[in-house]
Amino acid sequence: MSEFNEQNGMPDGEFERLLKDAPKPPRMDSARKEAVWSSLEVQLTSVERTPLVARRRLRLAWAAASFLAILGAALWFAPRGNNVADRVEIVEGRVVSVVGDHGPAALSAGVSLKANERIEVGPNSAAKLALADGTALWLCENTQAVYLGPRSAKGPSLELVVGEVRAEVTPGPPEEAFSIKTPAATLRVLGTRFNCKLYAGDASVPDVQSSEDTNMKRLRAALRSALVLTVLSGAVEVHAGDTTQKVEAGSRSTVVAQAATPSQEALSKTDYTAKWLGDPGSAGPPEALVFRPIRDMFLYAMWAVDVQTGKAREVTDFLSVGPELVAQVGSNLALVKSSSLIFPHFGSDPVGGAGRPFINDVLYLVNLVTGEKMPMTPLADYDPLYMEISPDRRKVAFVGGYTPDKTKPAEREGGVYVLDLETLTVNRVLEGWLKTCPHWSPDSRWLAVADAEGYVGGSEYEIVIIDTAAQSVVRTGLNGAGVHFTPDGESIVYSSGFKRDGSWSAGVPTYGNLFIASLRDPRPEQRTTLPGGGAINPSFTPDGKGLLYWEASSETKQSAALHLLDLAN
């Protein structure tokens, strides 16, 4: 028996334990009931060896447990669906709100959901909805959804406006199939685990006159709603227009609004989708990755260092002459190139020169949380030059070359390629020997890149936007290179106005300034005025109010300098 606490008349922790072990709505399984009663029986058999005061206090505890057990029994026999309301169970991050009859308000865990309330989840945040039937819905970051009402045969329970939902739906009768409404399609589910991501369309295209604006108008018109559904277990029916498609476990379907038929493809394995995308809302602290030699030119350890506290943790090891960080997404995922390891013909020390090959160059995808490494074997026949992982961790875009037939090296082709990490397939989305890195939009749908063959003059670059969901390419008519999306995805920033040629940084001419063009009103606005040019590699502060860029002009003969531009003034 535990020691009694004279202040509350019960053993220390006894009341909390009873509450913890008491029946939980809407039901309590047999194992939990047996555990509660077994615990009480152990205490009752020792009553005769317990002092009188202790026995009185134990009776109070027994009475409390009896009351809770009776309450649990009442809940056990209560009709399903009426005893627990659909509610918000977990809120991760700070940017989560609900918009109801009285305007927006902060959303917190434990509140019940009301019909037609709109839930908005911002960056690095998430919200888990627990429905009365046991269904769990995670609303991921940058997601907006409308709760329509309890599960029923009358209609959908959730409307997805934009963003991603990860769902685990409790099985039910066919007449009460759980359903989610989206602008692209309606999903009908009997019981399954799946992820669905909606890219919202935009019909607000301004009337414009210039040739550049006409091209950008086509871009906005091409932006139709697209839904990507990944089924991990069970099956989901996709209703798009007059078409119904059944998507089985281990498959993915893409539905583009107004398209004739949804496309469907098999996943390489569901483990990647289930384990490598990261938990919703768990952004983790900003970390820098560094490599520390355990044995130089042979074995290296990769460490993640918290940039705010300096605390370091070891992630994994590499057998390599020297590993190199290629790309990183937050504290979850990284691409690392492990250089080949060669042993000399004489001796035993590994070197990077001639000798016996031990390990070839390998490109690894690294899970920064678990340390697991996945070799990118689908890229064995490719020669990637510049690469970037999509923000949603599902795709890798790169420029480079590919030789379809090893016996015909002269038929080597180049272009912009996308490696799908869920299906492990590679698709060429743009032809040509491009030399600048493609960059993803924040929602991971669009790629922006400068279309130019090789290292050419500044006037020969044209910015193109690639829709990876609809497999289409839109030429903007804008001249520039090194193009990036703004954090809201509504504009692009790029280097342009090149004065002359002759110097490049990662394929971008170093004689230009930075311009910003809105995709809604695409009249380029010059934002830097460096006399010798050289404004390259733009990036944004976390709040989106500051623009960081490098000044790397060969004309000024100085070392590269980092600038921070306040976009407000």
Side-chain angles (χ1 to χ4, degrees), residues 363-499:
L363 188 67
Y364 287 103
L365 189 69
V366 182
N367 188 321
L368 300 178
V369 178
T370 65
E372 184 176 352
K373 299 194 293 282
M374 181 191 300
M376 294 287 93
T377 52
L379 300 182
D381 296 329
Y382 293 82
D383 183 20
L385 179 60
Y386 302 115
M387 313 181 73
E388 184 171 279
I389 308 175
S390 63
D392 67 0
R393 303 166 178 83
R394 287 181 165 92
K395 299 180 285 289
V396 177
F398 63 93
V399 293
Y402 172 59
T403 307
D405 188 344
K406 295 293 185 181
T407 64
K408 301 177 180 179
E411 296 182 1
R412 185 173 174 80
E413 62 184 33
V416 178
Y417 299 87
V418 174
L419 166 63
D420 191 314
L421 295 173
E422 292 184 304
T423 64
L424 291 184
T425 57
V426 181
N427 295 313
R428 185 166 66 164
V429 295
L430 186 66
E431 297 181 8
W433 291 97
L434 285 71
K435 299 297 184 182
T436 61
C437 185
H439 294 291
W440 290 99
S441 61
D443 65 359
S444 302
R445 175 175 183 173
W446 297 86
L447 280 172
V449 69
D451 186 8
E453 292 277 347
Y455 299 101
V456 298
S459 61
E460 299 180 47
Y461 291 87
E462 182 188 13
I463 295 174
V464 298
I465 310 291
I466 303 166
D467 184 353
T468 61
Q471 300 293 314
S472 62
V473 177
V474 178
R475 298 191 172 275
T476 66
L478 298 173
N479 173 258
V483 55
H484 295 251
F485 284 90
T486 55
D488 59 8
E490 295 294 324
S491 303
I492 52 176
V493 56
Y494 55 94
S495 299
S496 187
F498 307 114
K499 294 184 177 181

